[in-house]
Amino acid sequence: MNKITAMRHWPTSNFISRNNMAGMPAINTRRDVTTQGPPPIPTPQLPIGEPTIHYAFNVPFASDLAGPDTEDILHATTDAVLRWTHPVEAPDDVPVHALHVHVMNLEGLRQLCHSITTNPLPIEAHVLSGTPKNARGLVTTVCLSGPADLVYQTREAILNKTPISLVRHIFLCNCAFSVSYFLDETSRFCGVDIFLLGPKLAPVVDGLNGDVELRRDQRWRVAIYGDNMSAEHAKTRVLIHIDQLLGRVADSINVDYSVQQILIGRNRKNIKLIESSTNTAIYFPPPFLSCYSYCPPGATRRGESDVFITGENTQAIEQAKYKIHEYLTRVRLYVKDVQITPAKLDSVLLTRMDKVRKIAENNNTHILPPSLGSMKNVARFQALENLPLERSVRELMALVGQFYTATWWISHPDNRQPMPTPNDIRTMLSDICANSEADVKFDNRCFTISGSDEAVKTALAVINDIKWVNQSPQSQIRVKIELANEHKEFVSGKKNGKINKIMGQSNVQIIFDTFGEYNFNIEVVTHSYEAVKHGLTLVEQEMPASISFHVPDQYHKRIIGIGGQHIQRIMKKHSVFVKFSNAMDRGGLTREDDDSRVDNVICRTPARNAQNLELVKSEILEMVSRADSEFMNQTVKIDRLYHRELLSRLPEIEEIEKMWNCKIVFPSTEQATDELTVSGPQWLVPKCIDSFLGMVPDKHEVVMERTPTLIRFLESPEFVQNIVPKLKTQYEVDVTVHENSEERAANGNPSVTLLWQFTRNNAGGVSDAMDFLQGEFATAGVEPVFIRGALSRPKPDTFEEALPYFDSKLLQHAPAPVATDSPTKPSFGEETARERSSLLERLRRPGSGMSSISSFLDRRKNSSHSATSFFKGSSNVSKSSLVSIESTRSFNADRNPWNDSGVNLADEDSGSPWPSAVLVGNGIGNNLAVPHHGDMTPRHAARRSDDSGRPSTSHSTNSGYPGPLVPFR
């Protein structure tokens, strides 16, 4: 996977951005103060007075989560329609947060805060809700006032008694039995709302070309709405019930929660082997279940140790249990506790759990953070080996580095400005919190802010706009950035040169504070907002931006060169540090096979030079064979119930993986998704998918009215002995004849069914096979009447499109296509007919009988003239047809990355935003010279880049790198 770390700019003051939230800053233990720069700023001594503090935080209601379309609902549980749909008389522009479920959640929070305020304890809780400028949806803020301990305990109670982060799970149900009663029972048991929805069109990828086609999936859809853990519980119960309706047996086993991820294995390798060998489906509890204690009223939580198993019989389930027990008896764990700031742990639990889950799965590590809002600072890590454990810790600590903490202490307020009252403070904190998404605490004229980097900088800008603050004669601002210890010298420079220069330019003091085994704090301290904004921007520009990607180990020596001369030249040219890691660095001979495709090249540079990262990557990949240069991921959709049958053929799948150097990853059983992921070199992934889809059967039914002529033709020796074998050999389609007495024509006549069976990679041949059969019908004098499943004939090959400016009666207009029910396309619409009508596409079909023109095209294809020059200026052929003509040559030809077709079009047709590059020779093949302004067109299509060094915040995109850092506006 390709990763890149992007640094952000400071926001302006008229923002409001939905980001993340956090809590309190870390406690520092040891300080390393630089020796140059402005004089040291003393640490403020807060006056001892009233112990009451004010604390504001956002409650992350998913107020933008909309319900299903009412016309798709087949069944809904009790009051689900009332909660998740607008009434009929509601206007069209009513916002989503006005749904009854969101209104009731907000009202429940108000009642909870009212009961907290009216209790005998000295604590007050106030709720403010609104839609700030540029914010998405409704923002709800709670402001607590009281002693610090009570405030933190109350915050924990609110977060664990409120249905935060509502989600929607949708999966397909191909069971035709009545499930309405069970859905109602599951809704009450788990505290969720469930809808049974009708089928809809779904995109399907077929064949080697990867054509995306829309088919109407005949399966029902089950949509579950509720908080994350309750929805996962209900989803598992519904999936198990579907298995039982299909004749499978269900049972359960208790497995300790701390070893479940170890049992599952990296990329579900261990559990996949158990499921394939026993033909069972194993359902694990959702990860981090113990971190969230919310449970809807009257509902039942799922047990942490409950693992459900469904199989064909009890013997298969017992065999799966035995294999699980046998594996767990051999487990020896490495355990490590790591201290993390409580506020940042809460921010991770609220906003980054998908990334934590990915870290745990990739390294096969159990990660146990403390419960939400508990203000505990210890997270536990467990793994089978020390290397993946340390890797998980470092990745999580890098994730924690996304969050900043800051303090703004007003040491001498303006006497002419009155001190704000408690009501003014609550309004002020709620406004800061709602506009910035950061948590804000106010105690003795000191603001303490925590949240993501963008949220903290936004909160500081909002505080600076407060008149009582910006008119104070003296104040102190501190911003803490957490970074890995290995980057300390990278940021400070030789003899603290970078830091000293920043302090001299921006009038700030920068302190390095070492407080832990993995991370350290960079404190930016100053007296003015403008100075801290400038100084923090300069510090962020010196922080590491990195990109990582995969290069097979056999190319490393070639890229490094003798004595490192090749890589040294690249590093000096672009001012980028490059590091390679081989198999021994990743764990030696005991590593798993999946490690052979991990990112093993890391490029790192200061954020101000981040634009050169992609240039370095492109230059390195120039020395790698095309088949190994660019790795990509592609999704393939296969019925989830058929995954079990595919897993039983695991040795065949492994042979396909070895043949095409790709990896086929099955989704977890709990996800209930049809999507599989195929990863590997971008030139081999389509071939791997084509081979894999050859293992997946598919079918299509064509129902016709039963007539004597049709029956005589279907029973004739010509059809049985010649036509059916020819359909199999030429089109890879098996055709069988069936009769269904229940299905009749509109006039009441009986019907006959042709069942077309094929594999998914040959689905595109069904339309050609149908054309061939219709031709045989015409030859035999049979006029079939289609009831359903017919494929329309493509319009005849005329020169109508080739001569659009001639109005001639000699050119007959093709009839409009009729509606069809196709397994590969919903209908041969205008776009499909336009593709079919191409002369060149027709000539490529076997048996066209136009050998002279075909040979002429073959000679033209092999000539030195390109397809674009041959057809330049005419509109009688599409670019997709040119792809078909040049398919045998484009695989080995250099591609234009701005042209998805794979054909090097002319500059004016390619749509490239970059100027044309000049071809130069440097002994490594035809490479593209790098333009002087820093942009380049790589030899291979650029691959998506993800974060690897300092992870991005929710404001950043996961692809590309930021543009050149610009001054503040």
Side-chain angles (χ1 to χ4, degrees):
M1 181 181 294
N2 195 2
K3 304 178 181 178
I4 186 168
T5 297
M7 310 305 299
R8 247 79 38 205
H9 304 300
W10 194 287
T12 55
S13 57
N14 55 349
F15 31 38
I16 291 89
S17 60
R18 292 286 295 170
N19 243 349
N20 311 297
M21 59 194 73
M24 304 299 297
I27 299 176
N28 305 323
T29 57
R30 185 160 59 91
R31 295 181 177 270
D32 179 16
V33 184
T34 54
T35 57
Q36 300 184 21
I41 301 176
T43 301
Q45 299 295 328
L46 300 181
I48 300 176
E50 179 62 36
T52 299
I53 68 170
H54 303 273
Y55 192 99
F57 61 96
N58 284 346
V59 179
F61 285 128
S63 57
D64 55 344
L65 180 61
D69 295 334
T70 54
E71 57 268 17
D72 294 339
I73 299 176
L74 302 179
H75 174 76
T77 56
T78 306
D79 296 333
V81 175
L82 175 64
R83 283 193 287 264
W84 288 99
T85 60
H86 293 294
V88 180
E89 62 275 7
D92 296 336
D93 58 347
V94 60
V96 176
H97 61 78
L99 287 172
H100 185 70
V101 61
H102 301 311
V103 174
M104 293 306 298
N105 288 339
L106 180 58
E107 183 62 26
L109 177 63
R110 294 184 186 276
Q111 294 178 2
L112 176 62
C113 292
H114 178 71
S115 63
I116 293 173
T117 303
T118 56
N119 68 6
L121 297 176
I123 184 75
E124 293 185 14
H126 301 270
V127 180
L128 294 178
S129 183
T131 306
K133 182 180 179 182
N134 299 332
R136 185 183 65 177
L138 192 68
V139 178
T140 302
T141 304
V142 175
C143 187
L144 304 176
S145 302
D149 292 341
L150 282 179
V151 165
Y152 298 142
Q153 294 174 12
T154 304
R155 176 177 177 269
E156 178 183 6
I158 291 175
L159 291 177
N160 288 283
K161 292 182 179 180
T162 306
I164 60 177
S165 302
L166 296 178
V167 296
R168 176 184 62 182
H169 292 308
I170 294 184
F171 58 94
L172 299 174
C173 169
N174 54 359
C175 184
F177 302 99
S178 176
V179 294
S180 59
Y181 175 77
F182 177 79
L183 294 181
D184 294 337
E185 288 294 325
T186 302
S187 174
R188 288 189 291 269
F189 185 79
C190 300
V192 296
D193 294 318
I194 305 178
F195 295 89
L196 187 62
L197 309 177
K200 72 169 185 176
L201 291 176
V204 178
V205 179
D206 282 324
L208 181 62
N209 297 328
D211 297 331
V212 178
E213 302 163 354
L214 289 178
R215 304 183 187 177
R216 178 167 295 279
D217 200 321
Q218 299 300 323
R219 293 174 292 177
W220 298 344
R221 292 175 293 150
V222 179
I224 301 177
Y225 290 78
D227 66 280
N228 192 17
M229 296 303 165
S230 300
E232 288 284 354
H233 187 195
K235 181 180 180 181
T236 302
R237 289 178 58 87
V238 174
L239 292 175
I240 294 174
H241 184 69
I242 292 175
D243 286 349
Q244 291 176 327
L245 292 177
L246 295 175
R248 298 173 70 89
V249 181
D251 201 350
S252 64
I253 184 176
N254 289 331
V255 178
D256 189 85
Y257 189 67
S258 62
V259 297
Q260 289 180 9
Q261 178 58 48
I262 309 297
L263 172 63
I264 293 173
R266 189 165 186 258
N267 292 329
R268 299 187 64 85
K269 179 180 179 180
N270 299 336
I271 209 64
K272 184 169 63 175
L273 292 175
I274 297 176
E275 290 179 334
S276 61
S277 60
T278 59
N279 194 17
T280 56
I282 304 177
Y283 300 89
F284 286 88
F288 317 110
L289 180 61
S290 60
C291 300
Y292 305 91
S293 59
Y294 173 77
C295 183
T300 304
R301 282 177 58 88
R302 179 176 178 177
E304 296 179 359
S305 303
D306 295 338
V307 177
F308 299 104
I309 307 175
T310 62
E312 294 182 346
N313 47 55
T314 56
Q315 290 78 10
I317 295 178
E318 291 299 327
Q319 187 179 4
K321 289 182 179 180
Y322 174 77
K323 289 181 177 292
I324 291 174
H325 177 74
E326 184 183 19
Y327 180 83
L328 292 178
T329 55
R330 303 193 306 264
V331 168
R332 299 294 182 269
L333 295 177
Y334 286 77
V335 183
K336 188 169 187 177
D337 291 339
V338 180
Q339 291 189 354
I340 305 176
T341 307
K344 295 184 178 182
L345 277 174
D346 286 346
S347 298
V348 170
L349 289 173
L350 289 170
T351 60
R352 299 291 193 272
M353 288 313 296
D354 55 339
K355 295 185 178 181
V356 179
R357 181 174 185 173
K358 185 177 296 184
I359 292 173
E361 292 176 351
N362 291 341
N363 298 299
N364 194 21
T365 306
H366 171 71
I367 303 176
L368 181 61
S371 59
L372 179 63
S374 62
M375 300 305 292
K376 296 180 180 178
N377 63 347
V378 176
R380 171 160 293 186
F381 294 78
Q382 293 183 177
L384 293 175
E385 298 178 2
N386 189 51
L387 181 64
L389 186 144
E390 288 292 331
R391 187 181 298 159
S392 301
V393 174
R394 295 182 185 277
E395 291 182 6
L396 182 62
M397 296 303 288
L399 188 65
V400 170
Q402 294 183 8
F403 303 97
Y404 290 2
T405 57
T407 58
W408 189 315
W409 181 59
I410 303 172
S411 56
H412 294 84
D414 189 359
N415 295 329
R416 295 171 297 179
Q417 295 289 338
M419 289 291 294
T421 63
N423 288 333
D424 295 336
I425 294 174
R426 283 191 289 268
T427 303
M428 177 175 57
L429 294 185
S430 299
D431 182 63
I432 297 171
C433 188
N435 286 304
S436 65
E437 195 79 9
D439 288 6
V440 185
K441 183 185 73 171
F442 184 78
D443 182 16
N444 287 331
R445 304 193 305 272
C446 179
F447 293 92
T448 303
I449 311 158
S450 57
S452 66
D453 53 355
E454 292 289 338
V456 170
K457 292 185 289 187
T458 302
L460 290 175
V462 176
I463 294 175
N464 184 63
D465 291 337
I466 300 175
K467 186 176 182 181
W468 175 74
V469 175
N470 58 30
Q471 291 186 359
S472 300
Q474 186 175 353
S475 61
Q476 181 187 115
I477 306 173
R478 289 174 174 261
V479 180
K480 289 184 181 181
I481 305 173
E482 192 168 343
L483 197 62
N485 290 332
E486 61 186 29
H487 300 320
K488 186 174 182 180
E489 294 184 2
F490 185 94
V491 177
S492 63
K494 293 182 179 179
K495 298 182 180 180
N496 293 328
K498 294 181 180 180
I499 297 302
N500 292 335
K501 183 178 180 181
I502 293 174
M503 290 192 296
Q505 290 179 349
S506 57
N507 193 27
V508 298
Q509 182 182 355
I510 299 176
I511 303 172
F512 282 7
D513 181 11
T514 303
F515 69 93
E517 180 183 357
Y518 296 96
N519 288 8
F520 74 100
N521 276 336
I522 302 176
E523 288 192 62
V524 180
V525 188
T526 185
H527 290 293
S528 68
Y529 168 75
E530 294 298 330
V532 75
K533 184 172 71 171
H534 186 207
L536 189 58
T537 300
L538 296 178
V539 171
E540 286 184 333
Q541 290 180 356
E542 297 299 334
M543 293 179 67
S546 61
I547 182 175
S548 63
F549 50 94
H550 175 78
V551 172
D553 291 356
Q554 63 265 27
Y555 295 99
H556 288 188
K557 290 184 179 180
R558 179 193 304 179
I559 298 172
I560 295 173
I562 301 175
Q565 57 180 356
H566 289 169
I567 198 64
Q568 289 289 341
R569 177 183 57 83
I570 295 175
M571 289 192 295
K572 291 180 181 179
K573 176 181 177 182
H574 300 286
S575 299
V576 174
F577 172 75
V578 182
K579 180 181 178 181
F580 294 84
S581 63
N582 53 29
M584 297 299 294
D585 298 333
R586 298 193 299 270
L589 300 178
T590 61
R591 76 187 190 282
E592 296 182 4
D593 295 336
D594 296 336
D595 276 335
S596 61
R597 280 181 285 274
V598 299
D599 293 341
N600 54 10
V601 180
I602 300 176
C603 305
R604 185 175 293 124
T605 188
R608 52 185 166 81
N609 190 42
Q611 64 270 14
N612 286 342
L613 289 174
E614 286 288 347
L615 304 181
V616 172
K617 176 195 165 188
S618 300
E619 199 161 338
I620 290 176
L621 292 180
E622 286 289 343
M623 292 179 273
V624 179
S625 174
R626 176 183 296 242
D628 299 323
S629 60
E630 288 288 347
F631 277 67
M632 62 173 290
N633 295 330
Q634 187 167 338
T635 301
V636 181
K637 286 193 174 183
I638 298 174
D639 187 348
R640 67 176 185 85
L641 294 179
Y642 195 73
H643 293 182
R644 302 166 183 173
E645 187 170 340
L646 290 173
L647 286 175
S648 64
R649 305 168 63 184
L650 201 57
E652 300 179 38
I653 296 177
E654 292 177 352
E655 288 296 328
I656 294 177
E657 292 177 339
K658 293 179 182 178
M659 180 186 302
W660 301 113
N661 190 26
C662 294
K663 192 69 179 176
I664 301 174
V665 180
F666 285 80
S668 64
T669 311
E670 303 84 19
Q671 289 179 344
T673 178
D674 296 338
E675 296 181 352
L676 292 87
T677 303
V678 181
S679 59
Q682 65 176 358
W683 310 105
L684 300 179
V685 166
K687 295 181 177 294
C688 180
I689 293 176
D690 185 74
S691 300
F692 180 65
L693 291 180
M695 303 171 59
V696 182
D698 204 345
K699 64 180 180 179
H700 176 62
E701 290 184 353
V702 178
V703 182
M704 299 175 290
E705 183 179 348
R706 182 186 178 95
T707 60
T709 56
L710 177 62
I711 295 301
R712 283 196 302 269
F713 176 77
L714 296 179
E715 294 177 351
S716 65
E718 175 68 17
F719 178 79
V720 176
Q721 299 176 7
N722 294 334
I723 297 179
V724 172
K726 187 175 293 186
L727 290 172
K728 176 62 178 176
T729 56
Q730 293 187 3
Y731 301 100
E732 299 291 339
V733 177
D734 287 326
V735 179
T736 56
V737 181
H738 300 274
E739 293 188 12
N740 186 3
S741 58
E742 297 180 358
E743 191 161 10
R744 293 182 174 271
N747 55 8
N749 293 336
S751 64
V752 62
T753 301
L754 293 182
L755 179 63
W756 305 70
Q757 295 178 319
F758 48 90
T759 55
R760 280 276 302 276
N761 60 332
N762 294 314
V766 177
S767 57
D768 293 333
M770 178 63 75
D771 294 340
F772 170 75
L773 184 60
Q774 288 184 353
E776 296 296 331
F777 281 158
T779 303
V782 178
E783 296 183 0
V785 178
F786 293 96
I787 300 176
R788 63 177 177 88
L791 302 181
S792 65
R793 294 177 60 86
K795 62 182 185 179
D797 291 320
T798 67
F799 291 95
E800 179 181 359
E801 292 185 0
L803 304 172
Y805 303 106
F806 294 88
D807 187 11
S808 174
K809 296 182 179 180
L810 296 177
L811 303 178
Q812 182 181 2
H813 293 274
V818 298
T820 64
D821 185 11
S822 168
T824 57
K825 293 183 184 297
S827 63
F828 284 103
E830 181 180 356
E831 180 180 357
T832 308
R834 194 159 49 245
E835 293 179 3
R836 286 282 185 178
S837 64
S838 171
L839 172 64
L840 298 176
E841 180 69 18
R842 192 67 174 176
L843 293 177
R844 291 182 69 248
R845 294 181 53 190
S848 62
M850 303 182 69
S851 59
S852 59
I853 299 180
S854 301
S855 61
F856 167 73
L857 289 179
D858 290 338
R859 289 195 301 271
R860 185 207 59 77
K861 183 177 65 175
N862 296 327
S863 66
S864 59
H865 300 286
S866 65
T868 53
S869 62
F870 185 79
F871 294 99
K872 189 173 182 63
S874 66
S875 60
N876 63 333
V877 64
S878 63
K879 294 181 181 179
S880 61
S881 300
L882 298 180
V883 177
S884 301
I885 297 174
E886 301 293 335
S887 59
T888 59
R889 190 161 57 93
S890 62
F891 183 82
N892 295 321
D894 287 341
R895 294 186 57 197
N896 184 342
W898 304 105
N899 174 23
D900 293 337
S901 66
V903 180
N904 288 321
L905 303 177
D907 291 339
E908 62 269 21
D909 296 332
S910 61
S912 170
W914 309 103
S916 301
V918 183
L919 289 174
V920 295
N922 59 357
I924 315 176
N926 291 332
N927 300 328
L928 297 178
V930 182
H932 295 292
H933 52 75
D935 299 328
M936 79 170 295
T937 304
R939 182 176 123 188
H940 310 301
R943 188 180 62 169
R944 184 175 68 89
S945 301
D946 294 327
D947 297 338
S948 66
R950 176 176 175 269
S952 64
T953 64
S954 59
H955 273 270
S956 67
T957 59
N958 285 331
S959 62
Y961 49 83
L965 298 174
V966 296
F968 294 107
R969 292 174 293 179

